[in-house]
Amino acid sequence: MLALMDSFQATIDADGRIEPRDAMPEGYRKTLIRQIAQHAHSEIIGMQPEGNWISRTPSLRRKAILMAKVQDEAGHGLYLYAAAETLGVDRAELLDLLHAGKQKYSSIFNYPTLTWADIGAIGWLVDGAAIVNQVPLCRCSYGPYARAMVRVCKEESFHQRQGFEILHTLCNGTEAQKAMAQDALDRWWWPSLMMFGPPDASSTHSEQSMAWGIKRHSNDELRQRFVDMTVPQADVLGIRVPDDGLRYDEETGHYSFTQPDFTELYEVVKGNGPCNEQRLAHRVKAHEDGAWVREAAAAYAGKQAQKKASAA
Ligand code: FAQ
């Protein structure tokens, strides 16, 4: 066993990939299950805030685009549950844990989408933050997670552009439309910064996850990267990031900015955000309503297996 663990460490040290059949410490396996499951749950719960606008898009073109985007998020959830299953868990088990409130999903999806501009803000800011967080995960030390991330990131960058384009249209429309875009930025800016997790000093998992090559950058490094990328985009839109402390530092080449109120993040993660109850109740109902589909698929697979066995 010691030799097997030596080979795990040697692979990590050489920046190689750990594959499902390789030996791995139990802590590594558990950390990956926690993070990948949380990520998968975020993708499927993340369909709800945007799904809320599919029947109310301003045009047929916008409806087709939004439906495709929401469907992509479902696909991301599926790749991620499949990646988690390579670690020896079952997706049904992970969903039960989500429904029982024992596994988390991203805090960001507990905020409401009040106007059409919020759909633009989700694409621009939330998918934008997701890209900043997930591009380094394409180099994660666990092979199946890293490979899933490559395709996810390609799709997320398309999502980010569609969100930006919605806001660009609004910002070049009437005064009322531009005000709607500003209001969306005002409400989504701080929750987007919180998506990167607690500050490094309070992050429980970062140090170990970075040593194992699961995370490549700390929460604060990625938050900074997101601010540096996004502020010039807000300038292009002609709307203002709601932070009086925002300054560009010529010397460092980075923006200094006000940190979000992390007590709000902890409250939302604990279940006290504006939409936590609604999101989970909707998810549980969708799961229960879909039981007959799962049962039918299992019955069909059983019949096919029987047919194959009797033909052999
Ligand atoms: N929300 O020690 P750390 C998307 C928890 S996908 C909720 O720093 P870690 C696509 C954390 O789990 C968005 N909980 O943790 C899309 C831990 O609690 P635990 C999801 C949070 O894991 C777009 C505790 O706090 N992306 O947006 C949050 O090292 C549009 C201590 O934190 C991913 O999941 C939070 N924001 O770093 C879909 C990416 N932050 O488990 C639809 C992969 C922290 O000990 C529409 N995940 N916590 O009970 C990651 O990169 C990491 O897991 C972090 C957290 C960075 C999220």
Side-chain angles (χ1 to χ4, degrees), residues 34-35 38-39 42-43 46-47 50 69 73 104-109 122 126-127 130 133-134 137 145 156 194-198 202-206 209 215 219 265 269:
R34 178 187 61 80
Q35 179 167 326
Q38 178 169 325
H39 194 164
S42 304
E43 299 282 357
M47 294 164 74
E50 287 170 295
K69 182 198 191 280
E73 308 302 355
K104 297 185 165 76
Y105 60 90
S106 180
S107 51
I108 193 75
F109 301 117
I122 291 188
V126 177
D127 285 280
N133 169 271
Q134 290 169 23
L137 291 174
Y145 191 27
E156 299 293 25
M194 291 173 208
M195 279 178 76
F196 295 92
S202 318
S203 165
T204 31
H205 304 291
S206 284
S209 289
K215 281 169 91 161
N219 299 354
L265 171 67
V269 170

Side-chain angles (χ1 to χ4, degrees), residues 144-160:
Y145 191 27
R147 289 188 287 275
M149 280 301 108
V150 173
R151 180 154 172 195
V152 168
C153 284
K154 284 188 184 150
E155 292 177 354
E156 299 293 25
S157 65
F158 191 62
H159 296 168
Q160 200 244 2

Side-chain angles (χ1 to χ4, degrees), residues 259-281:
Q259 292 294 324
D261 173 6
F262 286 108
T263 52
E264 179 176 321
L265 171 67
Y266 298 131
E267 278 306 308
V268 174
V269 170
K270 261 198 274 171
N272 302 326
C275 300
N276 293 61
E277 266 178 43
Q278 177 190 334
R279 298 287 186 244
L280 207 55

